[in-house]
Amino acid sequence: MTSTPVRVALLGAGTVGAAVARRLADRAEVFAERVGAPLELTGIAVRDLGRPRDLTGVLPGLLTDDPESLVDGADVVVEVMGGIQPARGLIERALGAGADVVTANKQLLAQHGVEIEALAEREGREVAYEAAVVAAVPVMRTVREALAGDEIRSISGIVNGSTNYVLDMVARLGVPFQDAVQQAGDRGYLEADPTEDLEGLDAAAKIVLLARAAWGVRVGLDDVQREGITGLTDADFEAARGTGQVIKLIASAWSSGAVLDRRVEVAVRPTLVSADHPFGLTREGTNLVIIDAESAGTLRLSGAGAGGDETASAVLGDLVNLARARVRAREAH
């Protein structure tokens, strides 16, 4: 193990950022062993220095409202602040300064990920974003690495736990649809403005990222055939129940045609599925992704698709891998 630390800049200290900071503090020895060098958290950039935060065990004095200077001195930048700007500018600044980047920012990646990854390639750096898709469930790693030698035919999944909670309450417990939406909001499953969840925008960003990873195509949000759940009525749920089915918001991507003339389509739609189908049995905020590949057959990955600790798990996995690669590169020189 080398004593030279890998310097980590953290952008954002909300639910996910605070969880990342706490884990870096309380698992420092474990991470050092896995990386081959200590991970040194050099600072945490926030918008409001006066806001209370759960940073138990984190060294005091790390908070700053100057993210630019923090980024400039980092080996790896972890972006969990969300939004398009200033996140995009900071990520591009980090790559230009020679840092690798970990991000959980699905909307930024869906809208500008092609440009960001092109910049990373030009700079010889990496952008990792497992946490942007299904949080703790390693779907991106499965698609990009485990199935790299296979031909993926289709990907479909329940990738938004907020809407699945709503639909599960209606189907399984008979809660009226609007009451289920209100309940989801009260329990923190929905944002203050729930449009991104209810209109399928969150799921659309995630399926775009999966399609790009699976087939290397320049798919964007405008390519998604998207329909949210706000147009559903209690009568729709009653009709489904009468046929032994339930309604789920399914994000899907599928490929057709020859490799050199490939056609990839992406969609997010409320879909009728049998109540005993794996999708029909997916409860509350759980996510489930089903991948169909030529050689591997059908794979199912299920687990928590949101939450501070769960998303932090994926962020930290990417961080450890990028930090380990930097240590090996140092040793090679």
Side-chain angles (χ1 to χ4, degrees):
M1 182 184 297
T2 176
S3 60
T4 304
V6 176
R7 297 163 299 173
V8 179
L10 178 59
L11 307 180
T15 303
V16 176
V20 170
R22 292 194 302 270
R23 295 295 173 265
L24 285 173
D26 63 32
R27 297 178 184 166
E29 292 183 4
V30 172
F31 289 140
E33 182 68 27
R34 291 176 182 173
V35 169
L39 293 179
E40 178 189 353
L41 182 58
T42 59
I44 307 170
V46 297
R47 293 186 179 92
D48 180 3
L49 289 171
R51 178 181 167 188
R53 302 174 193 281
D54 182 8
L55 293 171
T56 306
V58 179
L59 287 173
L62 287 178
L63 293 182
T64 177
D65 57 4
D66 183 9
E68 288 83 4
S69 63
L70 189 60
V71 162
D72 290 344
D75 295 312
V76 183
V77 171
V78 176
E79 184 275 308
V80 287
M81 63 198 311
I84 304 301
Q85 290 292 4
R88 180 182 181 183
L90 291 167
I91 286 173
E92 291 174 341
R93 183 179 182 125
L95 294 170
D100 296 304
V101 172
V102 178
T103 177
N105 197 329
K106 54 188 167 288
Q107 288 296 337
L108 173 61
L109 291 167
Q111 295 178 43
H112 304 291
V114 172
E115 301 95 318
I116 290 171
E117 292 201 88
L119 173 60
E121 185 172 355
R122 289 196 301 272
E123 298 291 345
R125 303 272 43 104
E126 295 287 336
V127 178
Y129 48 90
E130 183 69 64
V133 182
V134 195
V137 185
V139 175
M140 286 296 295
R141 192 163 289 120
T142 300
V143 169
R144 298 177 96 171
E145 298 176 20
L147 295 176
D150 208 333
E151 183 66 25
I152 295 174
R153 296 191 182 107
S154 66
I155 303 171
S156 58
I158 294 171
V159 296
N160 180 274
S162 305
T163 49
N164 196 61
Y165 177 87
V166 171
L167 297 175
D168 187 43
M169 290 299 99
V170 176
R172 191 160 52 91
L173 301 181
V175 177
F177 179 63
Q178 290 301 328
D179 290 351
V181 171
Q182 181 65 47
Q183 188 179 128
D186 292 343
R187 295 191 60 170
Y189 281 101
L190 297 170
E191 301 293 338
D193 177 5
T195 304
E196 189 170 321
D197 293 319
L198 299 179
E199 293 295 348
L201 293 165
D202 175 88
K206 293 172 179 177
I207 199 63
V208 160
L209 297 180
L210 284 169
R212 287 180 191 163
W215 297 291
V217 292
R218 292 174 67 98
V219 176
L221 288 172
D222 290 342
D223 298 309
V224 180
Q225 305 161 45
R226 179 177 57 83
E227 180 184 351
I229 67 171
T230 53
L232 296 174
T233 66
D234 290 327
D236 294 323
F237 293 101
E238 281 298 323
R241 191 174 293 116
T243 60
Q245 297 177 297
V246 295
I247 300 172
K248 294 290 186 179
L249 186 68
I250 305 296
S252 55
W254 61 99
S255 169
S256 59
V259 173
L260 297 179
D261 188 29
R262 189 189 303 280
R263 175 180 172 84
V264 172
E265 295 182 75
V266 283
V268 174
R269 300 189 186 100
T271 304
L272 284 167
V273 299
S274 172
D276 59 2
H277 185 278
F279 285 144
L281 295 171
T282 301
R283 305 293 189 226
E284 299 192 4
T286 302
N287 285 187
L288 170 65
V289 175
I290 299 177
I291 303 170
D292 180 45
E294 186 175 309
S295 299
T298 301
L299 307 178
R300 297 175 187 166
L301 295 93
S302 178
D309 287 335
E310 294 85 349
T311 306
S313 171
V315 168
L316 289 163
D318 281 341
L319 172 58
V320 166
N321 285 330
L322 290 180
R324 186 185 287 148
R326 289 189 80 98
V327 170
R328 288 174 178 165
R330 287 176 186 170
E331 293 172 347
H333 288 86

